[in-house]
Amino acid sequence: MSSIFVTVFIITTIATVLALLLTLANYYIADYGERKIVINNDKELYVEGGTTLLSSLISNEIFIPSACGGKGNCGYCKCKVEEGGGPILATELSYLSEDDKNCNIRLSCQVKVKENMKIEIPEELFNVKQYNVVVEFARDVTPTIKYLRLAICEDKEIQFRAGQYIQLLAPPYADSNEDVFRAYSIASQSTTNKYIELLIGYVPDGIVTTYVHKHLTKGDKVTFNGPYGDFYLSDSDCDIVLVAVGTGMAPIRSILLDIKDKKISRNVIFFFGARTEDDLFMIDEMKRLEEELPQFTFVPTLSRPDKNSWNGEVGRVTDMIDKYLEYKEGREAYLCGNGPMIKSTVNHLIDKGFSEDNIYYDSFD
Ligand code: FES
């Protein structure tokens, strides 16, 4: 009996000592105190150590792309960590190329601020801000695509370039218990600074798309941050070929509206692909643009048309490239769609004399 008592006493004592040691370790080791982050050898931030680099930056209103909300599974939140990042973590490996590793690129949502750091981020990210907005319009433009107009409620304006994107926040709701950001291209022209328009396709079980399609209505308040991205029209005077499918219409529409607003006189042809007439949208607006811009041609094409009602082009957008474009060098192309569409369009454009350096794309896979 006494040996059982002694054994229980020893186990209890060991467990108590271990718990005490853990508490002390947590107190002394995990308490990193205040840490300094130097950005671009210029700006200095003082942050509470122990949190991720991404959240330290966000709490100082420096937003870098983070489409998965810091879970380490989008690879968007890269930045250069010159000092203080510690070794690369296993969770970063699948998103870092050999070049990234050689250049000290890291995933900011995985790196913890445990010591003073020196980092580099693109200067344009200092223009990224968070906006509280109200839904001015929300309507279905096809059975699976919703158009939103979000008006900025505060005394702020957004500056962006046509072709860029924002990250929209879905707060916790019936089907999700956490904040989730997703990236969406801006569909409106860059000269409108008090609101943005978005085209959001429904993805079954998608947390943000379900929120937008099934919960968000006119008058609701939401949050986004941005702008991000380097997909925008160059300053050259080359002819322009635009190619999009589905919600790829968004950045292309923004570019087209800018071409009109800024009176850019480059020749433009836009190939837009959809499956059926139900999947076509903003066609009247494109036709109006054709009337207003003599140098603009719009070519909608359907891959599965109703032959009784559709008199337009039939096939994929790549078929239209073969049909409408002659072999010629010195043009630029801007593509927006899914990965396979982008890949096959690039091949067709190269066959028509495009240089790979003049093909820009925004892939939404
Ligand atoms: S935010 Fe997605 S990987 Fe870091």
Side-chain angles (χ1 to χ4, degrees), residues 54 65-77 107 109:
L54 178 70
S66 56
C68 71
K71 291 202 182 64
N73 56 27
C74 73
Y76 278 32
C77 63
L107 291 190
C109 71

Side-chain angles (χ1 to χ4, degrees), residues 136-137 139 146-152 158 160 164-166 184-190 192 194-200 224 247 249-251 253-254 257 282 285:
E136 258 190 355
F137 299 107
R139 68 165 185 270
K146 196 170 276 280
Y147 156 89
L148 293 182
R149 182 188 274 193
L150 307 176
I152 296 170
I158 182 166
F160 67 95
Q164 289 194 294
Y165 68 93
I166 54 92
Y184 298 102
S185 293
I186 303 172
S188 39
Q189 65 262 59
S190 68
T192 57
K194 286 302 286 180
Y195 67 85
I196 61 160
E197 292 165 320
L198 303 174
L199 295 166
I200 299 185
F224 72 77
T247 52
M249 168 70 90
R253 176 188 186 236
S254 182
L257 294 174
M282 293 184 164
E285 182 175 310

Side-chain angles (χ1 to χ4, degrees), residues 3-13:
S3 69
I4 292 173
F5 178 77
V6 171
T7 308
V8 170
F9 176 76
I10 290 171
I11 291 173
T12 308
T13 307

